[in-house]
Amino acid sequence: MFGRFLKPRWQHTNPDIRLKAIEHLCASEEADILAKLARGDASTLVRAAATGKLTDFNLLDEIFNQDSAPTVREAASMRIMALLAGTTADAPPHDTRLRLVRLTGNAEVLAHIATHSPDEACQQAAIERLDNAPLLYTLALEGPSEPVRVAAAQQIRSLSDLKRLAREGRDKRVVRIARDAAKALQDQQQQQDAESARVIQLADRFEQHARRRVDALYGPRLEQLEQQWQASASVASPELATRVNEALNRCRAQLNELQEEHRRKALEETAAMERNAACKALYQLLGEACGETWENQLGEMRSALATQQRRWEGASLQAQASADEQDAFENLTAAFQAMLDLASAASENSEDPEKLQALALQWPAEYARPPSLEAILKATSQKPEKIIKSGKPNPHRGLLIALKRELDKGNLRHANRLWHKAEAIIAEGDAQPLKRELEKLSDRRAELQDWHRFAAEPKKLELCEKMDQLKDSTMDAPQLASAIQALHEEWRSLMSSDQDEDQALWDRFKAATDIAYEPCKAHFAEQDAQRKANLAKRIELCRQLEGFIENQDWSKADWEGVWQIRQQAPKDWQRHHPVRFTDARDAQKRFSAALSTLDEQITEHSKLAEQEREQLIRQAEQISLDGDDLRNAIAQAQEIQKKWRNTPWLPPSRHRPLQKQFRKVIDQVFKARDQQKDAYKAEQAQKQVQIAAQLSALEEALDADFSESNAATLRETLQALDEATDGRLPTSVNRQVQQLRRRAQERLARLGDWQRWHQLQEQVEALTPSDSTDESALMLAVAFEALAGVPSPEPERQRRLAWQLEALPSAMKQKGFAVMDEMARLLNTYDGAITVTERQRLLNALAVLEPGNA
């Protein structure tokens, strides 16, 4: 029951008793008790006292970071500093403290160790990690030892502190370190200033380059600037880096725009050359085609037309052709196709003179007709012949003429067609004259049939073999279709219109054709589907454009957006390619109408925007530059520039020439301002030259011996310097002017003293010369020497001492005693002669006292 009375005092309920008990606790033997009290005691004072006796740095750090009482945290901080500084008996060993000092980053602890630690090594270690400029300066100036002061001086980074330390340091080594460090900092600062100036100049060059017109040297110069910037970017400020990056982006954008423009132009030129080549090839085919070409080489002509159409379409995908070019090419291909259709119709209707005559009339007169059409035209132009002796006109005259012509030419195919037609006429009714004529021509026909069988059958067999080879061909579908069509054209040229003779080979040829053409069906079906899809996309594009135009409020339109839509729409239109031309005509008309509407609106808006810009250009041209004060002109130019930036949007092609004209006018205003600045700088430079000349003259006058003329020169030079320095001067020049002015004024202030001294010199020189020396002359000489403070000759020392003891004290007791006044009194009371030696002694003594030349 008495256990509670036998508890240790550090467990007592009274905090005062616990506080006293802590004084008797041993930090090494009772560390656990101290730790328990420091961590958990209810009393702040008890925790602080226990913390003040701890030696465990981890525990002290824990208390410093976690305890809620400022007193306890302060006790922990002080204990840590005392232990590390080694100012307590229970401090850690030297090596441990040195290691901990080198690891800590607490500025307060480092400052305490550097100031209070008796261990010089710990002090130096703390100073090496210290970043407290005032404390470092104090330690370098007042540290307890020279190594500490040297270590502190080596850590100082402030130029002003280093200069003060170089002046006030008490150690030669500290002064030398401070002086060397200050010089190094000054050199570094000058180098940084020079680098900063170079970076600023580089930023200005970037901005100037961004405003330059893009030409052939724009890119190489930009690369040079970028290389210079890469070498200087690390020392540039964020503001300069931002300026350079913005200017660099503008330069790159302009360069990319130029490169894109060149690429686009090159693409357009290549596409135009390709389209021109396609047109030229078609014109050349038309020009070189003869009548036999249209009759015997229709397959090749169709393939050539398809090839040039694909060539045109491929070039148009690269760069869209103009509407006029497109129309011209479409007219050319339509004419070419029309001639192919006419030639094909002429071949199919060679036995029908009436149809041939109609086809001949439709054929373009500037191109050679097929022989069948040309012959029918010639036959109809001749006078009618009387075939029947009775004089009645033969109704089948044209048919007979055509049949005879084809037989004469050996064209069995056309001749057979005409022959079958004639037989059909005979079978229908009374056509005995026609029958008699056919009998006359039957031998010729039989002969041609024999030759045709002999010549055509091997060729047809060859065509069948070629068609069989196409069944396993790896050609793409368009090439395969062209090859099949060419073989069919050759087959038609070999037909004799005798189905019985041609049917067997034709069946073989047709079967091979069907198999060979099978891969083309899927391709052309896919091509048709793609063309339909592209046409649907083009129709949707027309609908979007028409909806945009219909819903647009043109009074509040975003004209740049409208212009971009106008530029993008043809590209989107061309991207939906190919389409079937005949199906796309209506969509093309809708699209062209929508573009025309956009062009009209943009043109109307552009006229208003151009008028506003032209008005601002006229206002800029009216700015007066005749006056001396350009501030008003600059203000007007800046206001006009502000209005220019707020002008409505204008297409680049129209904006650029106006922008160039406006910039030229505005640049004249700022050029006048720059000229005024240059004139002011030139005036200041000339003024600096004048000031330098006056300063040089003033220094020469100050270095010259003082005299009346020298005083006049000083006054004149000072007046000229005051006139030349009217206005603000650079600090270094102003300091030099003030120093020289003060020296000159001090010298002029002593002009009266110099006049008195000069008068004494004249009095000495006016003394009566003598060949012998008397006592009064010697006493006068030693008096002058004693007053001037110059040594006397060895034999005269006793006489000088006697004068100093007898006459000098009484003279100095006089009110307002002055050396030259006393010399003047002595000269005035002296009436004897003097030798050359004593006169020189008097002049030497006076020379020491000459004012203004010290």
Side-chain angles (χ1 to χ4, degrees), residues 86 125 154 242 252 261 307 311 331 344 357 411 439 507 520:
Q154 291 174 342
T242 301
R252 287 174 176 169
E261 182 67 17
T307 300
R311 187 177 186 182
N331 292 334
S344 179
Q357 186 174 4
N411 192 348
E439 291 175 353
D507 291 341
C520 300

Side-chain angles (χ1 to χ4, degrees), residues 122-158:
C122 289
Q123 277 187 306
Q124 294 183 14
I127 289 172
E128 290 177 358
R129 298 179 57 80
L130 198 60
D131 192 17
N132 188 334
L135 180 58
L136 286 173
Y137 177 78
T138 302
L139 289 172
L141 197 63
E142 302 173 0
S145 64
E146 182 182 6
V148 171
R149 294 192 291 272
V150 169
Q154 291 174 342
Q155 294 300 116
I156 295 176
R157 298 294 180 265
S158 172

Side-chain angles (χ1 to χ4, degrees), residues 221-239:
R221 288 176 179 171
L222 181 60
E223 291 181 2
Q224 293 178 356
L225 291 176
E226 286 187 271
Q227 292 175 358
Q228 296 175 10
W229 173 247
Q230 290 176 357
S232 306
S234 58
V235 299
S237 63
E239 293 79 7

Side-chain angles (χ1 to χ4, degrees), residues 61 501 784:
D61 187 65
E501 295 180 359
F784 265 61

Side-chain angles (χ1 to χ4, degrees), residues 311-363:
R311 187 177 186 182
W312 174 277
E313 292 173 357
S316 298
L317 285 176
Q318 293 182 352
Q320 186 178 12
S322 64
D324 294 339
E325 285 183 306
Q326 187 69 33
D327 292 341
F329 184 75
E330 290 173 358
N331 292 334
L332 175 60
T333 55
F336 202 111
Q337 185 63 45
M339 294 174 70
L340 287 172
D341 294 340
L342 290 174
S344 179
S347 177
E348 294 174 356
N349 298 280
S350 59
E351 69 280 3
D352 191 344
E354 296 179 359
K355 290 185 178 181
L356 288 176
Q357 186 174 4
L359 293 174
L361 294 176
Q362 296 176 19
W363 192 274

Side-chain angles (χ1 to χ4, degrees), residues 556-581:
K556 301 177 182 178
D558 178 9
W559 290 105
E560 185 174 3
V562 173
W563 181 78
Q564 291 176 351
I565 291 174
R566 174 60 181 84
Q567 298 298 309
Q568 186 63 32
K571 298 178 182 177
D572 294 344
W573 178 270
Q574 191 62 33
R575 190 166 61 249
H576 304 320
H577 183 83
V579 294
R580 195 178 299 279
F581 175 74

Side-chain angles (χ1 to χ4, degrees), residues 490-516:
E490 291 186 34
W491 183 274
R492 279 195 292 269
S493 66
L494 298 175
M495 289 179 64
S496 64
S497 297
D498 191 340
Q499 296 296 326
D500 295 335
E501 295 180 359
D502 295 338
Q503 191 62 41
L505 291 175
W506 168 249
D507 291 341
R508 176 186 172 186
F509 184 76
K510 181 66 170 59
T513 299
D514 294 339
I515 297 174

